[in-house]
Amino acid sequence: MSNPVIRPRRLRTTPALRRLASEIRVHPAELVLPMFVREGSAAMPIQSMPGVVQHSVDSARRAVVAAAEAGIGGVMLFGVPEVRDATGTGATDPNGILNVATRALVEEIGDTLVVQTDLCLDEFTDHGHCGVLAEDGRVDNDATLLRYSEMALAQASAGSALLGLSGMMDGQVAAVRSTLDAAGFEDTAVLAYSAKYASAYYGPFREAVASTLVGNRRTYQLDPANRREGVREAQIDIDEGADIVMVKPAGSYLDVLAEVAAMSSVPVWAYQVSGEYAMIEAAAAQGWIDRRRAVEESVLSIRRAGADAVLTYWAVELATWLNEERA
């Protein structure tokens, strides 16, 4: 039996060789931390997401300083109001929690990292849907676009540098972009949650935002069976002027992410959602997996599939590990 001529294992023989031959690396600047900010003076732990909290404005200020010191790229803010109504008026109130928190964090950190805001009504409506309801209970797409445009102005006025359009309404990018431009906010960027699937992995997020959802979101979020539709949605958002497009969730949709990355002319991000976080944390708590290795591998796989940046609840912790490795 002849010896093999081609030996790929040569490049795996030492840590130094493996590091030199590595195809994909994760950098802290490619990580974005989702943050929940509630009304009230105290942070509240989220039971289904160990280590994650609903921040008060004061604790969010401290957290964003720590995030900047770790060198991550940005934070994505979600508001958790005490009072909700049918049209989500708290979303456009300058004194609403999301807009107050945005101003506070921009004041605290400036442009050291990118302060971003979730632009969706679900956290602010008493029915928990991402839009305004018609009389028959359906989500009214075009009436919702008017509310999104109003939200865009409120968030841009509060200092948000990037608006994360996560509601999955048809035409939302075009509506928000034209509204921003007409009001003089040409430099405010738009992130389109283009391929956002109706996923089971959002469960812990419902607790994180104290969701009041009645029913489901399958009439506007994508069917998990549909790959081509996700790519099509991304192309539509690019054509409407999105600066960045997103695939959400990340881990179960790496095929969609890879296809979107292959066709996109703008940066492509992915959101490692609450259920992905909770599963790894739960398995690690039982001693079934190596927590750090699982976290690192999960984020690396999202980058390998084509994401230019990753929203992950481990952003600061992972960045700290990466910084220690480089030190």
Side-chain angles (χ1 to χ4, degrees):
M1 179 173 149
S2 61
N3 292 328
V5 175
I6 299 174
R7 296 181 182 268
R9 285 183 56 190
R10 291 189 187 102
L11 297 182
R12 307 172 200 154
T13 54
T14 68
L17 268 172
R18 291 194 295 272
R19 184 171 62 249
L20 187 62
S22 181
E23 298 176 27
I24 300 294
R25 292 178 174 84
V26 179
H27 189 278
E30 299 161 348
L31 304 174
V32 176
L33 175 68
M35 293 177 61
F36 307 101
V37 188
R38 64 185 298 269
E39 295 185 74
S41 58
M44 297 286 290
I46 300 168
Q47 297 300 321
S48 56
M49 300 176 69
V52 181
V53 302
Q54 292 178 347
H55 284 282
S56 68
V57 173
D58 285 343
S59 72
R61 282 180 177 269
R62 294 190 293 271
V64 79
V65 170
E69 290 174 347
I72 72 168
V75 294
M76 175 66 77
L77 303 183
F78 297 84
V80 186
E82 290 182 351
V83 178
R84 308 174 191 214
D85 57 31
T87 59
T89 53
T92 47
D93 181 353
N95 295 315
I97 183 59
L98 181 55
N99 297 319
V100 168
T102 302
R103 287 194 297 272
L105 267 58
V106 171
E107 177 186 6
E108 186 71 38
I109 209 66
D111 60 0
T112 305
L113 50 66
V114 181
V115 176
Q116 310 162 34
T117 45
D118 178 65
L119 196 157
C120 193
L121 284 171
D122 61 319
E123 299 119 80
F124 299 93
T125 55
D126 54 13
H127 48 74
H129 277 286
C130 297
V132 178
L133 300 186
E135 290 185 3
D136 61 3
R138 294 180 301 110
V139 174
D140 187 327
N141 190 96
D142 295 357
T144 300
L145 296 184
L146 297 176
R147 291 293 292 133
Y148 285 2
S149 295
E150 293 166 350
M151 287 182 71
L153 293 179
Q155 293 182 3
S157 297
S160 177
L162 185 150
L163 311 183
L165 278 61
S166 63
M168 290 299 292
M169 296 296 117
D170 292 341
Q172 62 183 13
V173 172
V176 166
R177 183 73 270 160
S178 63
T179 297
L180 290 171
D181 290 352
F185 291 107
E186 297 92 344
D187 291 335
T188 302
V190 169
L191 160 65
Y193 286 50
S194 301
K196 182 178 180 180
Y197 285 84
S199 172
Y201 291 101
Y202 301 144
F205 183 89
R206 306 283 189 256
E207 179 192 352
V209 297
S211 176
T212 56
L213 179 64
V214 177
N216 60 66
R217 296 175 176 147
R218 292 174 185 166
T219 63
Y220 45 102
Q221 294 179 353
L222 297 180
D223 184 338
N226 294 356
R227 172 180 50 81
R228 288 192 302 269
E229 188 178 20
V231 178
R232 182 181 183 227
E233 288 274 10
Q235 185 61 65
I236 290 170
D237 287 343
I238 292 169
D239 293 342
E240 290 186 4
D243 299 289
I244 303 166
V245 293
M246 176 98 88
V247 175
K248 178 183 180 182
S252 293
Y253 297 89
L254 296 181
D255 57 331
V256 179
L257 174 58
E259 289 209 34
V260 171
M263 56 72 70
S264 179
S265 56
V266 302
V268 177
W269 293 6
Y271 197 144
Q272 187 177 45
V273 300
S274 59
E276 297 174 79
Y277 175 91
M279 288 192 300
I280 289 178
E281 289 290 347
Q286 294 295 322
W288 295 337
I289 58 174
D290 182 313
R291 179 179 179 272
R292 175 166 175 171
R293 287 186 62 197
V295 170
E296 292 173 335
E297 184 177 335
S298 69
V299 175
L300 182 65
S301 70
I302 298 166
R303 284 278 291 113
R304 189 186 64 242
D308 298 295
V310 181
L311 276 74
T312 175
Y313 299 97
W314 289 299
V316 173
E317 186 175 17
L318 179 54
T320 301
W321 295 338
L322 294 169
N323 292 332
E324 290 170 351
E325 290 173 357
R326 293 203 309 270

